[in-house]
Amino acid sequence: MNTWCRRAAFWLLACLPLTAAAAPPPLNIVAMDQASPPYVIGEGDSFAPQPGLAVELAQQAANACGVELHLLRQPGLRMLQSLKSGSADAALLLSYNEERAQFAVYPLRDGQPDTRQRMSTLRYVLFVRNDSTLAWDGERLSPPQAVVGSNIGWSVIKDLERLQIRVETALNVDSNFNKLQAGRIDAYAIQDLLAAGYLSTHPKLAVRALPQPLVSKDYFMPFSRQFAARQPQLVQCMWQQVARQRDALLKRRMAIYLHH
């Protein structure tokens, strides 16, 4: 083998490990199995052809970071468990609380969630029956003994309990709206856009939203502690790309989903 060939072979072998190391493993992101228009579209295991703004934002961020994206859907409690165990690398649209921060890594700034790197900001509102006299002034319910429904695993439950509001949980949106209509709960705490999407396909429900929001929350893409330890640069890249691309994507695509 002449000198040129030996040098070429040396450099080829030297570059192989670098090439392999430069290709990150696929990123497994889990989303809740209930639709949350306009951010997650479709029910059950699959996404709709237009999968939702949060899904599109994750796809764009992954593409910019040069990583293959695998998306899967699970019920809320299982999604949290997957993040905790590390079987999922990240999750779509989770708000921050101290309990979740024990097993999930959020973008932080001065020890607090960095709102600049949020996926979205969503409002929780209280829905009541059309004939209800229940009132919410932003701090207190009247009557105070009213029972408010919510979905198992939703972070708003902690907010309701902090306000000393009686909470009764159910598995999903359908169950809670049925309980509200039947008078088994007095109100239902739900994200406003999620409620709008559900009610657009259930026009016979005689319910209305109270005008004063219950709480407004920032939602993030938290990572499992296991993945964040293995791929800290990729985690930072994903959060930075979410921040960089979020507003332009929402401006460009929001109307399409709201009229979908």
Side-chain angles (χ1 to χ4, degrees):
M1 182 181 293
N2 60 35
T3 301
W4 184 90
C5 289
R6 284 196 299 270
R7 288 177 178 173
F10 170 80
W11 285 111
L12 179 61
L13 290 172
C15 288
L16 284 176
L18 295 176
T19 303
L27 178 58
N28 298 304
I29 298 184
V30 65
M32 198 171 294
D33 64 350
Q34 296 178 43
S36 184
Y39 293 95
V40 179
I41 308 297
E43 297 277 354
D45 295 335
S46 60
F47 294 94
Q50 293 194 91
L53 292 168
V55 178
E56 289 192 20
L57 183 55
Q59 290 171 333
Q60 288 190 14
N63 184 61
C65 293
V67 63
E68 182 182 354
L69 186 62
H70 291 172
L71 288 161
L72 62 153
R73 306 191 67 176
Q74 294 178 346
L77 287 180
R78 192 187 307 167
M79 180 177 73
L80 294 175
Q81 184 57 42
S82 294
L83 198 60
K84 186 174 184 178
S85 68
S87 60
D89 300 324
L92 288 187
L93 288 178
L94 282 185
S95 61
Y96 176 93
N97 62 40
E98 292 183 0
E99 181 180 348
R100 291 174 181 173
Q102 297 300 311
F103 59 83
V105 179
Y106 287 79
L108 300 177
R109 185 184 187 192
D110 298 327
Q112 297 298 317
D114 188 349
T115 61
R116 299 170 303 175
Q117 295 183 326
R118 71 191 184 278
M119 297 198 82
S120 185
T121 301
L122 302 177
R123 296 191 319 162
Y124 277 91
V125 296
L126 289 172
F127 271 82
V128 298
R129 294 179 296 281
N130 284 342
D131 61 357
S132 174
T133 59
L134 186 144
W136 165 250
D137 65 2
E139 296 182 0
R140 289 176 295 274
L141 274 182
S142 179
Q145 68 270 23
V147 178
V148 175
S150 190
N151 289 36
I152 294 174
W154 279 6
S155 63
V156 74
I157 295 171
K158 298 286 186 183
D159 298 292
L160 294 168
E161 291 173 343
R162 176 176 50 81
L163 293 165
Q164 299 184 329
I165 294 172
R166 295 173 61 192
V167 183
E168 184 174 308
T169 58
L171 287 175
N172 52 44
V173 173
D174 193 59
S175 295
N176 268 308
F177 268 123
N178 286 337
K179 288 171 66 176
L180 178 62
Q181 186 75 76
R184 292 164 53 200
I185 54 176
D186 301 300
Y188 177 25
I190 183 175
Q191 295 164 9
D192 54 356
L193 292 174
L194 174 56
Y198 181 86
L199 293 174
S200 69
T201 60
H202 296 78
K204 293 184 179 181
L205 283 175
V207 298
R208 59 184 173 86
L210 297 182
Q212 183 74 25
L214 181 64
V215 66
S216 178
K217 287 179 175 288
D218 290 323
Y219 283 74
F220 299 91
M221 181 193 298
F223 285 79
S224 73
R225 290 199 171 276
Q226 298 90 327
F227 187 85
R230 294 194 308 269
Q231 296 284 343
Q233 292 181 333
L234 178 55
V235 169
Q236 292 298 325
C237 181
M238 289 293 291
W239 287 338
Q240 290 165 7
Q241 288 300 321
V242 163
R244 184 173 299 167
Q245 303 197 40
R246 178 191 62 242
D247 292 345
L249 174 67
L250 296 183
K251 183 178 181 180
R252 186 174 72 253
R253 298 284 289 166
M254 177 67 82
I256 294 172
Y257 279 105
L258 291 181
H259 296 91
H260 188 267

